[in-house]
Amino acid sequence: LLTFAAPFLAAAGPDRAGALVTSPLLLTLLIALSGAALLVELQGEALNARTVALLGILVATNAALRFLEVSFPGPGGFSPIFALVILSGFTFGPRFGFLMGVFTLLASALITAGIGPWLPYQMLTTGWMGMSAGLLGRWLRTVLPSGSRGQPRRVVILALFGFVWGMLYGLITNLWFWPAAVGPAGQRWQPGMGLLTTLEHYALFYLTTSAWWDLFRGLGNALLIGLVGAPTLRALERFRRRGGVQGGGDEATRQRGREKAMRDEAPRGGRRARQRGDEAPRGWGEAEQVRRPLHPLVWVVWLGSALVVVSTTRNPLYLVELLLVALVVSFGIEGDAPAPWRPGLRFGLFLVGFSTLFNGLSSHFGRTVLLSLPSGLPLVGGPVTLEALVYGAINGLVLLTMLFLFAVFNQALPAHQMVRLVPRAFHEAGVVLSVAMTYVPATRRSLQQIREAQAVRGHQVRSWRDWLPLWMPLLVSGLERAFQLAEAMVARGFGATADRALPLGVRAGLAGGLLALLTGEIVAAFYPSLRGAAPLLLAVGVALLGLSLWRAGRRVPYTPYRSSGWGWREGVTLAGALLTLAVVVWPGLGIACAGEQGGLLLVGCRGARLYNPYPRFAPPPFDPLAGLALLGLLVPTLASPRSPRAGAVESAEGTEPIGGP
């Protein structure tokens, strides 16, 4: 809360306090660390196997809806994801609602490449939305009659609640950029102008720039909850009683007892298992040793380098080359097996075409006029220029490239290997995120199957109202899948964690570390005479957070099945990815050339200007050094020969998979 309120606190201080909020990096870091501390606290008391599975499936459903929202934007700030966060929090309680909001924004940002300094603000704000819905549910159960008699009133109250939070969401998340925004003097943030003046300026800024945008979000929340709220609440409540998730009474206690008994009966010897982690089980043979997959961290660096390239350039030649690189790497991983990006290829090409057409008709800038539409037409009236079409195609190509890169990453790195990358303090949270990321494609396939089944019965999708009958089958099938996954997790030894609360010392260390970081920055901004103490406070805060997270991780009963090795293939692949990254961002090679309007910032900046088709179209430049640098991302194909999917072994009957998420 102190970090969110930093613009108002700093404005009440001296002019030098402006350094506290003019750079979003510091406050974003504090918000992210606060969210990390909350996740460590919540997962220790809330996440058993059924909660993890149910939370992961619901987050996957919401992430799929977020992907549709990004692909087909609605009016203003409308988004379909907030209604399910509110309804889930209302049914399963404030802890579940907070986690639902946090993981929904995180998973959808990973899928839609929406990671940026705004993400921690959005995650915590959506978490508060779900948490407050859970608190509202607790209160309404005491004042409204249970069963169907009180259901209409609950839906009406939740619809109003969704409208209010649709407005509050923008009001809160705008704080991450408002101090750095440029606008009229009566709306700008300025240090030292006083608390009341700051509130007045922000109110004017919100009413003139964001209120109408948030109005569509609030109305959309109210409309969705009013249309599907009652059947969704009935389904969620039925599964809550069946599974004993978050407040399921005696059934939840019995479930925890069963999982604890299974955990107690599990074989000991975790230390010996870790020591033998590099040994392959008997019968795997030498062929499996050769096909050992690359270390997961190598693929993380590979994806990060590729995403830096995509986010740094708008040159279509480099984007096309990166697409071809991803295609070659995908074939190198799968051999002749079908790759996961093939079903979405048609959809990706549709995105490019849609972006081209939409920008060409709505943006009327550029000098090469192809045709002119009547000026009386709303939005599309005016000249249609070649430059606008090219710019829209480039935007669609950026999204298509990001989708391909994430598809290759998911293809190369199974979900159970992603879990190993998460620090032990966030193990349960990592499992939830992995379940969500894994089941997003399954959710999309389930929606397609439901549409086909409804079409057989004569149902046709002609307008947005025709999508409503598809919602409940999709939700119920996801809930059924969650319980099947939970049973599999319990059978494989994922025990309950509801009885594993964090010690008071760990909690105090997390809170003390965050306060020390914030205090250090406040001292540096407000008290120049004590500025020498700021580095000490920052060091103390980092040390307390690191020690507390380490202590929290030591309490996680997690034993890896097999540890990932590190050999020459990992070194070569890492070197290729880092070479590409260095050519793009290394000082003196890339960023130092920003004066050239650097797009893809390259060695010497030759031919590396930011490609912009405006004001008159010209062919994009191409630097041969850029092409050679991007080929560094091809190293995984050279270091990993074409073979059956990693994790499979030869048997007398053929190739059989081993393991799984």
Side-chain angles (χ1 to χ4, degrees):
L1 288 176
L2 287 173
T3 309
F4 270 89
F8 306 100
L9 299 177
D15 291 345
R16 58 180 176 271
L20 184 65
V21 294
T22 51
S23 175
L25 179 61
L26 168 66
L27 296 182
T28 299
L29 179 62
L30 288 175
I31 291 290
L33 291 175
S34 299
L38 286 171
L39 283 181
V40 173
E41 160 70 15
L42 289 176
Q43 71 178 7
E45 295 189 8
L47 299 187
N48 53 35
R50 290 196 173 183
T51 306
V52 166
L54 182 59
L55 185 59
I57 295 298
L58 290 178
V59 168
T61 304
N62 246 2
L65 294 178
R66 180 71 181 275
F67 183 79
L68 292 177
E69 171 206 342
V70 173
S71 305
F72 308 98
F78 170 77
S79 177
I81 65 174
F82 298 112
L84 188 56
V85 171
I86 293 173
L87 296 173
S88 299
F90 183 86
T91 304
F92 297 112
R95 286 180 180 268
F96 191 97
F98 180 86
L99 293 172
M100 178 72 181
V102 168
F103 285 121
T104 290
L105 267 293
L106 180 57
S108 60
L110 292 175
I111 293 173
T112 61
I115 299 176
W118 55 83
L119 180 59
Y121 288 83
Q122 293 177 343
M123 290 170 57
L124 275 183
T125 305
T126 312
W128 289 339
M129 182 188 301
M131 181 184 69
S132 58
L135 296 175
L136 176 65
R138 287 183 177 178
W139 176 72
L140 287 182
R141 290 187 184 95
T142 63
V143 298
L144 290 181
S146 60
S148 58
R149 291 185 302 165
Q151 194 76 294
R153 279 182 282 180
R154 288 191 182 91
V155 173
V156 172
I157 294 175
L158 282 174
L160 295 175
F161 179 85
F163 175 80
V164 172
W165 259 111
M167 305 296 293
L168 288 177
Y169 180 84
L171 187 69
I172 297 174
T173 55
N174 289 344
L175 294 174
W176 83 267
F177 72 90
W178 177 58
V182 178
Q187 302 176 16
R188 285 203 306 260
W189 182 92
Q190 296 176 0
M193 63 182 180
L195 179 59
L196 293 180
T197 306
T198 306
L199 291 172
E200 180 183 351
H201 281 210
Y202 185 62
L204 290 175
F205 170 82
Y206 178 76
L207 291 175
T208 56
T209 62
S210 182
W212 70 272
W213 184 270
D214 299 332
L215 181 64
F216 286 99
R217 182 187 301 111
L219 293 175
N221 291 347
L223 178 63
L224 287 179
I225 293 175
L227 291 174
V228 302
T232 301
L233 286 176
R234 286 195 295 268
L236 294 176
E237 181 65 24
R238 183 169 65 251
F239 279 88
R240 184 185 72 84
R241 294 177 178 176
R242 172 184 169 187
V245 179
Q246 288 292 321
D250 294 337
E251 176 60 27
T253 305
R254 290 193 294 269
Q255 174 66 16
R256 289 197 296 269
R258 288 194 295 267
E259 293 174 342
K260 187 176 185 301
M262 181 171 292
R263 186 174 71 247
D264 293 338
E265 294 173 2
R268 306 292 180 180
R271 183 181 302 275
R272 293 182 60 192
R274 286 191 292 270
Q275 292 175 351
R276 298 195 304 265
D278 292 333
E279 300 177 7
R282 294 180 60 184
W284 279 29
E286 186 64 25
E288 173 62 19
Q289 298 288 342
V290 176
R291 301 191 191 107
R292 177 181 60 82
L294 292 173
H295 196 282
L297 285 177
V298 174
W299 285 111
V300 172
V301 175
W302 181 89
L303 177 65
S305 300
L307 290 178
V308 167
V309 174
V310 175
S311 61
T312 311
T313 185
R314 286 299 182 269
N315 190 317
L317 299 180
Y318 301 131
L319 294 174
V320 170
E321 182 182 1
L322 197 56
L323 268 176
L324 295 177
V325 167
L327 183 65
V328 173
V329 172
S330 176
F331 275 108
I333 296 171
E334 281 292 326
D336 296 328
W341 48 261
R342 291 177 185 173
L345 177 60
R346 183 179 302 175
F347 178 69
L349 295 177
F350 169 77
L351 286 180
V352 176
F354 178 80
S355 177
T356 303
L357 185 61
F358 182 81
N359 193 76
L361 294 177
S362 61
S363 179
H364 308 291
F365 302 100
R367 298 179 180 175
T368 309
V369 179
L370 300 178
L371 57 96
S372 294
L373 298 177
S375 58
L377 294 176
L379 184 64
V380 300
V384 178
T385 65
L386 175 63
E387 290 78 12
L389 292 172
V390 171
Y391 192 80
I394 292 175
N395 289 336
L397 186 61
V398 169
L399 181 58
L400 176 63
T401 305
M402 287 184 176
L403 293 177
F404 263 60
L405 291 173
F406 275 102
V408 175
F409 178 75
N410 292 329
Q411 175 187 359
L413 200 61
H416 64 279
Q417 292 189 12
M418 293 184 190
V419 175
R420 297 179 185 176
L421 297 177
V422 179
R424 290 179 63 177
F426 305 97
H427 176 62
E428 288 84 359
V431 175
V432 173
L433 188 60
S434 297
V435 169
M437 297 291 289
T438 302
Y439 278 93
V440 167
T443 303
R444 188 186 65 179
R445 291 193 298 268
S446 179
L447 177 61
Q448 183 63 29
Q449 293 171 358
I450 293 170
R451 288 188 60 186
E452 294 174 354
Q454 296 280 36
V456 172
R457 301 175 60 185
H459 179 77
Q460 297 182 5
V461 178
R462 295 190 180 93
S463 65
W464 62 270
R465 292 186 182 89
D466 297 326
W467 285 93
L468 298 180
L470 307 179
W471 165 245
M472 288 309 300
L474 179 66
L475 177 65
V476 173
S477 63
L479 294 173
E480 292 288 353
R481 190 182 298 117
F483 280 100
Q484 296 173 6
L485 177 62
E487 296 298 332
M489 292 171 66
V490 172
R492 294 191 176 202
F494 189 95
T497 60
D499 55 348
R500 189 173 52 82
L502 286 177
L504 182 61
V506 176
R507 293 176 174 177
L510 292 172
L514 291 172
L515 288 176
L517 289 175
L518 184 59
T519 304
E521 294 301 328
I522 291 177
V523 167
F526 286 85
Y527 304 99
S529 60
L530 302 176
R531 191 167 294 176
L536 178 61
L537 288 171
L538 295 176
V540 170
V542 172
L544 282 176
L545 283 174
L547 179 62
S548 301
L549 292 177
W550 178 78
R551 289 186 59 192
R554 293 288 296 175
R555 303 181 71 252
V556 176
Y558 169 69
T559 301
Y561 180 67
R562 275 203 314 165
S563 60
S564 301
W566 191 278
W568 68 269
R569 296 190 296 122
E570 283 76 11
V572 173
T573 305
L574 185 64
L578 292 179
L579 173 64
T580 302
L581 186 63
V583 172
V584 174
V585 301
W586 191 265
L589 299 180
I591 291 179
C593 303
E596 296 280 336
Q597 294 182 343
L600 180 57
L601 305 174
L602 303 164
V603 177
C605 291
R606 294 186 298 120
R609 287 178 169 81
L610 172 62
Y611 178 70
N612 191 345
Y614 298 107
R616 185 179 295 276
F617 173 77
F622 184 82
D623 190 341
L625 291 178
L628 293 176
L630 293 181
L631 293 181
L633 298 175
L634 276 176
V635 177
T637 304
L638 304 177
S640 181
R642 291 178 61 162
S643 61
R645 178 187 290 271
V649 295
E650 298 288 344
S651 65
E653 292 78 17
T655 303
E656 299 178 354
I658 286 184

